[in-house]
Amino acid sequence: MNHSAAHILREYGPFAGIDNVHGVTYDGRHVWLATGDTLTALDPANGETLRSLDVAAHAGTAFDGEHLFQLAENRIQKIDPETGAVLATIPAPDGGNSGLAWAEGSLWVGQYPDRRIQQIDPQSGEILRTIESNRFVTGVTWVDGELWHGTWEEDASELRRVDPRTGEVLESLEMPPGVGVSGLESDGGDRFFCGGGNSGTMRAVRRPR
């Protein structure tokens, strides 16, 4: 396994009116922050928050190229990013759901206390695959066929690249002490966006090549 220190490129926030960042996703232009009662669009170029949608946003967030998906308690909401309208809901898997990602036509749900990632059908919520971890799982993202997830236990967090079949850890980026990772998303290139939990911040981390 490759193990190295995470290279933090930039820190965003704290932001006015935002106490917690629970989940993050990227729509190609904006990073969306799940902050409890709202989804807030952030411009990653200048760090400005642009607008907010009044929807329950308690954990992970995902984007399928057209719609936002948002964990809210025991359900996953499909949301119109222009209006904030909830277009559909499906049941979330049982357990402490944390992260959310879209890839390969499926939703991928990180489960914090159960230490696993669930691949689910976005239409029905049916569980298609379970990937076990030996750490608490926070954010989840896919990029270039690689599955990455965040961890956060006590004072330590890391970003892990894992084998999507076996859960074997292939690479680990260790965050500085005291820096937590809640949501996780790739920009499709050389950056990860990492929610900072109750710090109310977000960080950009260099993705290894």
Side-chain angles (χ1 to χ4, degrees):
M1 177 185 73
N2 294 327
H3 188 94
S4 61
H7 181 179
I8 297 176
L9 300 171
R10 180 172 179 177
E11 182 170 309
Y12 299 85
F15 308 100
I18 294 177
D19 297 323
N20 288 275
V21 176
H22 303 292
V24 296
T25 196
Y26 182 64
D27 67 7
R29 294 181 303 157
H30 306 131
V31 180
W32 290 87
L33 310 177
T35 63
D37 295 324
T38 61
L39 270 169
T40 298
L42 169 79
D43 185 336
N46 59 27
E48 293 183 5
T49 54
L50 304 174
R51 62 191 181 94
S52 293
L53 305 176
D54 291 328
V55 293
H58 303 139
T61 313
F63 182 69
D64 70 352
E66 184 177 0
H67 300 104
L68 295 164
F69 290 83
Q70 178 60 55
L71 277 161
E73 297 178 345
N74 63 351
R75 65 193 186 279
I76 298 173
Q77 306 171 120
K78 182 179 181 179
I79 299 165
D80 182 329
E82 295 301 320
T83 66
V86 176
L87 305 176
T89 62
I90 59 172
D94 291 335
N97 297 309
S98 50
L100 191 64
W102 175 273
E104 301 177 346
S106 296
L107 288 167
W108 302 76
V109 181
Q111 295 193 300
Y112 181 80
D114 297 318
R115 303 183 183 220
R116 64 189 180 194
I117 299 168
Q118 304 270 31
Q119 179 190 7
I120 68 170
D121 185 304
Q123 303 297 323
S124 66
E126 176 189 357
I127 296 172
L128 307 175
R129 186 191 323 184
T130 299
I131 302 165
E132 302 290 347
S133 176
N134 62 358
R135 298 280 285 176
F136 292 146
V137 176
T138 56
V140 183
T141 192
W142 281 85
V143 56
D144 294 338
E146 297 176 354
L147 175 59
W148 289 78
H149 75 81
T151 73
W152 190 351
E153 295 193 34
E154 296 179 348
D155 199 34
S157 277
E158 59 185 307
L159 309 182
R160 287 180 156 193
R161 178 167 64 91
V162 300
D163 186 310
R165 297 163 300 167
T166 66
E168 177 189 357
V169 181
L170 306 174
E171 189 165 3
S172 171
L173 307 179
E174 186 175 328
M175 299 292 276
V179 174
V181 174
S182 51
L184 177 65
E185 177 68 297
S186 165
D187 71 349
D190 61 358
R191 289 179 299 177
F192 290 118
F193 296 116
C194 304
N198 57 10
S199 70
T201 62
M202 185 191 76
R203 295 171 180 87
V205 172
R206 183 185 302 280
R207 175 189 165 211
R209 290 289 190 177

